[in-house]
Amino acid sequence: MANIRIVRVLISLLMCIAFLAIPSANVQAAAPPDPAWWARYGADTSGYGSDVRIAADSLGNVFVALYSYGINGSIIVKYGKDYVQGQAPAWVVTVADVYSNYTVNDITVDSTGVYVTGEGYDGSWNDVLHTLKYDLATGAMLWASPATCPGEGPAHIALDSTGVYVNGSVWRTSEDYVTVKYDKGTGAVCAGWPVYYDGVEDNDNDYAKDIAVYSGGVYVTGYSEKYYPDAPYHDNYFDIATVKYDSTSGAQLWAHRIFTWDSDDEDECYIAADSSGVYVAAASYLGDNRDTMTVKYPLNSATPLWGPVYYGGTYDDDVPAGIAVDSSGVYVTGNVEDSSGDGHYYTRKYGAADG
């Protein structure tokens, strides 16, 4: 009997331990860790800002670009890898000193410099894409692209070992994608560039939204208008149009379009590429509301490897806000609305091989 009693006690103890190990709905999640540092710039002298962009180099230096309403132009701020809370930035440059009323839309960095691109005006107040390169250590401007590439933002930027690639939109007989390549050393426009994508109908609008470069290919994506006579209301809708160019010559290698049922060109779409393919995330109607659509292409073909796959809530529009890829899969983040009508940020991971 004593042995049975001991066994019962042991079982009771084990059950208590198991019960205590079950997470409780009332247990508060651990508080997020404090940041290593935070910095605030421009509140007293430059007015509030918008269009904030950020990039970091391999050493841990951080570069922030923003448009300041206080100076009616853009600012670039560097925080060094050894930055300590409360210190002044390593350097600050004012892009308005080069181009008035210039809006930085994107920023990136490599071992040779900091690159920004955006929209401004030429001497006759025509919209042009401006790209600038700055010295990493001092913030000195190394070059400014010639104001000869017509275009308007938002502009996006990508790099490879041979050049700097920028895309945006430009008005010709209608809005079209424009993509330009600059020499990394001088900022000169490379031979064969800029190149344009005019969609499938000359007088419909095409809005470039993002760019990626990988292994000799330049990939751009955006919204491209097309008339669909058999669709409800016999109206124009925007496809997601993804285009590949040769990174040397600028020759178009392939293009692919996906119908979205969307008549709004204001949504964003995003692109990323690695050795296994090209990934695009965009907003597309599936039923009564917009959901996030993700699709994967091979590097050298316009035929999707998988997708589109869709993710969204029940009640309202759900749109992407970014995409990234690593060796294990592709990550898409954005905003989704739940069944109560509340908005949430979401992040989903898809398998690289099958979505």
Side-chain angles (χ1 to χ4, degrees):
M1 293 293 294
N3 290 336
I4 294 175
R5 188 177 296 112
I6 292 172
V7 170
R8 287 175 176 171
V9 171
L10 289 174
I11 291 173
S12 298
L13 287 172
L14 290 172
M15 291 178 66
C16 289
I17 292 170
F19 176 79
L20 291 173
I22 297 173
S24 169
N26 295 321
V27 175
Q28 297 296 315
D34 291 331
W37 55 263
W38 64 270
R40 181 174 180 173
Y41 181 82
D44 298 327
T45 59
S46 302
Y48 66 94
S50 65
D51 294 314
V52 181
R53 300 292 183 267
I54 191 168
D57 65 16
S58 60
L59 299 177
N61 299 301
V62 178
F63 304 86
V64 179
L66 72 152
Y67 184 86
S68 169
Y69 289 94
I71 64 169
N72 200 30
S74 291
I75 294 170
I76 306 169
V77 184
K78 175 186 176 181
Y79 297 98
K81 62 184 178 63
D82 298 320
Y83 179 79
V84 176
Q85 185 78 38
Q87 281 185 341
W91 51 255
V92 179
V93 296
T94 303
V95 186
D97 292 340
V98 184
Y99 299 119
S100 62
N101 203 31
Y102 174 83
T103 302
V104 169
N105 297 140
D106 205 1
I107 184 171
T108 191
V109 60
D110 68 6
S111 61
T112 69
V114 184
Y115 307 81
V116 296
T117 193
E119 54 187 319
Y121 302 107
D122 64 11
S124 301
W125 293 95
N126 297 308
D127 291 324
V128 291
L129 298 178
H130 288 305
T131 303
L132 304 97
K133 180 178 181 179
Y134 293 90
D135 183 84
L136 289 168
T138 66
M141 189 179 71
L142 300 178
W143 53 255
S145 64
T148 56
C149 181
E152 56 194 48
H156 305 87
I157 193 167
L159 308 174
D160 69 6
S161 61
T162 68
V164 183
Y165 305 84
V166 171
N167 77 333
S169 303
V170 61
W171 178 267
R172 299 196 293 170
T173 58
S174 59
E175 292 285 346
D176 296 324
Y177 295 8
V178 57
T179 306
V180 60
K181 178 180 181 179
Y182 301 105
D183 182 275
K184 291 181 79 171
T186 66
V189 177
C190 295
W193 303 80
V195 293
Y196 303 91
Y197 178 70
D198 191 21
V200 294
E201 296 173 348
D202 287 341
N203 293 319
D204 286 338
N205 294 312
D206 312 289
Y207 299 94
K209 296 291 186 176
D210 203 6
I211 187 170
V213 180
Y214 187 84
S215 188
V218 182
Y219 304 88
V220 300
T221 195
Y223 289 93
S224 179
E225 191 176 18
K226 181 181 177 181
Y227 177 64
Y228 283 91
D230 296 327
Y233 312 112
H234 311 288
D235 205 350
N236 283 22
Y237 294 90
F238 283 95
D239 296 339
I240 304 301
T242 302
V243 185
K244 178 182 180 180
Y245 299 102
D246 181 270
S247 64
T248 300
S249 67
Q252 181 178 313
L253 301 179
W254 57 256
H256 186 261
R257 303 171 67 92
I258 298 175
F259 182 50
T260 68
W261 289 104
D262 198 344
S263 58
D264 185 358
D265 61 77
E266 296 299 321
D267 293 322
E268 296 299 321
C269 54
Y270 301 90
I271 193 166
D274 68 3
S275 60
S276 71
V278 183
Y279 304 85
V280 174
S284 176
Y285 272 90
L286 187 66
D288 294 332
N289 300 295
R290 286 175 294 181
D291 292 327
T292 296
M293 176 207 79
T294 306
V295 61
K296 179 180 181 180
Y297 298 95
L299 293 174
N300 297 316
S301 170
T303 303
L305 290 171
W306 53 255
V309 294
Y310 296 86
Y311 174 72
T314 304
Y315 284 85
D316 209 343
D317 293 337
D318 312 302
V319 295
I323 190 170
V325 62
D326 66 12
S327 59
S328 67
V330 59
Y331 307 82
V332 178
T333 192
N335 180 271
V336 64
E337 188 171 271
D338 65 20
S339 59
S340 300
D342 296 324
H344 304 272
Y345 291 109
Y346 74 88
T347 301
R348 289 177 67 84
K349 178 180 180 180
Y350 297 98
D354 57 8

